[in-house]
Amino acid sequence: MERPPFFPMMIDIIGRKVLIVGGGHVASRRAETLLHCGAEIIAVSPEFAPEFPEGTRKIIRKFSPDDITASLSLVIAATNDRSVNHTVHIMARKTSIPVNVADCQEECDFFFPSLINSGPIAVSVCTAGKSSSLTRRLSDRLRKIWPIWIAEESALEADNGR
């Protein structure tokens, strides 16, 4: 039997603390999305990719289990070290903080969707960690039509409001 889809919950993370463990390309993309949504990012990694977004609090060192505290709203494990990612998963679960583990969908409490937005109006695409390439292709198609749909629907709403 196929599992049901994930519940697509949109939450307000403005000003909420999010820990990202990792400083590479995947961690950078996740940080960028979270910053775009208003999160306060704390990133821990021995080194950071040049494209890692400004606006994050970068802590240049290895991850410590003490980095996961009750003040966090979300935790992201995005290192290239399976054992570190697994430890992040264990520690986040112990403190009941939702965790996303980039290299192991079974350890994820949530998945990182592709976000398509026009101001506060947003839609996301998620394949539950099954296929990042499918997520990317579907998102690219939506990005092409999304501004047109928003303009059309906004015009209809304006006409109906008269």
Side-chain angles (χ1 to χ4, degrees):
M1 180 172 117
E2 190 172 309
R3 74 168 318 288
F6 282 84
F7 177 69
M9 184 171 74
M10 301 276 201
I11 61 170
D12 182 359
I13 61 170
I14 294 174
R16 292 190 182 188
K17 290 182 181 176
V18 177
L19 175 67
I20 297 178
V21 180
H25 181 66
V26 172
S28 177
R29 283 196 334 259
R30 283 168 169 63
E32 190 175 304
T33 299
L34 290 162
L35 283 170
H36 180 71
C37 293
E40 180 183 327
I41 308 296
I42 303 159
V44 176
S45 179
E47 49 189 299
F48 289 90
E51 75 269 14
F52 209 89
E54 293 299 317
T56 60
R57 181 174 153 218
K58 297 175 192 163
I59 300 172
I60 303 172
R61 64 168 168 72
K62 289 184 177 183
F63 166 75
S64 164
D66 293 336
D67 291 328
I68 297 179
T69 66
S71 67
L72 298 170
S73 293
L74 299 172
V75 174
I76 311 298
T79 74
N80 60 1
D81 185 326
R82 173 88 280 273
S83 65
V84 171
N85 289 348
H86 181 69
T87 300
V88 171
H89 154 75
I90 296 295
M91 297 308 299
R93 285 268 172 94
K94 280 184 181 179
T95 54
S96 299
I97 300 169
V99 62
N100 172 271
V101 182
D103 67 348
C104 184
Q105 69 184 35
E106 293 80 17
E107 293 181 352
C108 291
D109 292 321
F110 68 95
F111 291 96
F112 245 81
S114 179
L115 180 66
I116 299 100
N117 75 294
S118 179
I121 303 170
V123 66
S124 63
V125 176
C126 179
T127 59
K130 300 285 185 206
S131 174
S132 60
S133 61
L134 177 59
T135 300
R136 192 173 309 111
R137 286 193 315 272
L138 291 170
S139 298
D140 288 346
R141 291 181 73 183
L142 271 171
R143 279 189 185 91
K144 289 177 185 171
I145 193 103
W146 191 248
I148 297 166
W149 285 354
I150 295 298
E152 288 173 355
E153 292 301 322
S154 295
L156 284 173
E157 187 169 300
D159 288 344
N160 290 335
R162 287 187 197 162

